[in-house]
Amino acid sequence: MTGNIDLLARAREGQIAAVARLLSIVENEEPEAAEIVRATHPDTGHATVVGITGPPGAGKSSLVSTLTAAFRARYPRVAIVAVDPSSPFTGGAILGDRIRMRERFLDEGVFIRSMANRGNSGGLARTTKRVVNLLDALGFDIILVETVGVGQEEIEVVRVVETVCLLTIPGMGDDIQAIKSGIMEIADVLVVNKADRPGADRAVKDFAQMMTLGTPRLDWKIPIVKTSATEGTGIDDLVAAIESHSKWARESGDARRRSLDAMRKEVETLLRERILRELAERVTDDHLDRAAARVADREVDPYAAVEELLA
């Protein structure tokens, strides 16, 4: 653990290479991951964590880049966790969208981490929450989490962030898709991006009408913000909406409720993984082969075979 203590100390000093190495250990679930989580978990809970989600082509990466510049004018350290589809060949992240963030790479106050979703559904990687917690513990003020652009099922982000920004653009028909999928239920801020296009005002009206059909969440009224990432318009309004929701969530207890839901999910996941590892140590391939042969020979039924293996 001595090496990890030194690595953690250097990461807390802001050394980028040390931060990246720690994140790799946690993301890849290396043997030292549990020790790092234990050492840093008490320091979590300070960062403002914002999710940027929406369908492909909504301009998530461009908006994240522009939004990062706006947050950097207000806070010393901003981190971006961008979840990408996995390469079918290497399993790593496909980094095409990071090209749109190239102007942020020269900013020493910005840290960008790309993660492969590795086939995980919900728009995030399985260890995204652990990566976000580690960045929080290392002192980043704002953490922006960009989900995979896979459609309208990216609801896992609600368990990782405290404010969810749902993006759409004029003319995509996303209002109907949102109703069908229920993704509107996790949105804290609705963003009509590329608002310089025709139809932006109509999209705002459609969203406003849609929200009258649903059940309001406590006393938070979801704001609708028009932005253009390429022109930089509406960004200050979006920052204000995010900060307003963050303040409300912490004062109303919504942030606490969401954190409890997220931690329950995380504990369940780790418990399931632990049980499966211990079961794999007890039930070998030879055990499974013999059980399968007995079932195939009609000596026992599948349920009985499972009971015998567990015994």
Side-chain angles (χ1 to χ4, degrees), residues 87 90 98 100 104 114 140 170 173 179 310:
S87 164
T90 66
R98 301 295 78 77
R100 299 183 179 91
R104 305 280 83 85
S114 287
F140 285 90
I179 291 173
L310 291 176

Side-chain angles (χ1 to χ4, degrees), residues 280-294 309:
E281 292 173 359
R282 292 173 51 192
V283 181
T284 66
D285 286 341
D286 287 342
H287 290 131
L288 288 172
D289 289 342
R290 286 197 294 270
R294 294 189 66 204
L309 288 170

Side-chain angles (χ1 to χ4, degrees), residues 102-154:
R102 59 186 178 275
E103 62 269 29
R104 305 280 83 85
F105 283 103
L106 300 178
D107 188 339
E108 294 182 356
V110 175
F111 181 85
I112 302 175
R113 179 73 176 194
S114 287
M115 298 183 67
N117 72 333
R118 304 184 184 185
N120 192 60
S121 61
L124 298 178
R126 193 165 56 87
T127 55
T128 301
K129 178 64 175 175
R130 296 169 214 176
V131 166
V132 168
N133 282 347
L134 182 53
L135 290 168
D136 181 4
L138 293 176
F140 285 90
D141 304 288
I142 303 289
I143 304 172
L144 302 176
V145 180
E146 179 191 342
T147 71
V148 174
V150 295
Q152 298 288 353
E153 297 179 355
E154 301 173 351

Side-chain angles (χ1 to χ4, degrees), residues 45-52 79 81 128-129 132-133 135-136 140-145 157 159-165 188 242 245-246 250 258:
H46 303 291
T48 297
V49 187
V50 182
I52 308 295
V81 178
T128 301
K129 178 64 175 175
V132 168
N133 282 347
L135 290 168
D136 181 4
F140 285 90
D141 304 288
I142 303 289
I143 304 172
L144 302 176
V145 180
V157 69
R159 295 193 175 99
V160 175
V161 308
E162 65 182 27
T163 299
V164 178
C165 296
D188 301 305
I242 290 170
H245 176 265
S246 179
R250 297 191 181 199
R258 189 173 292 187

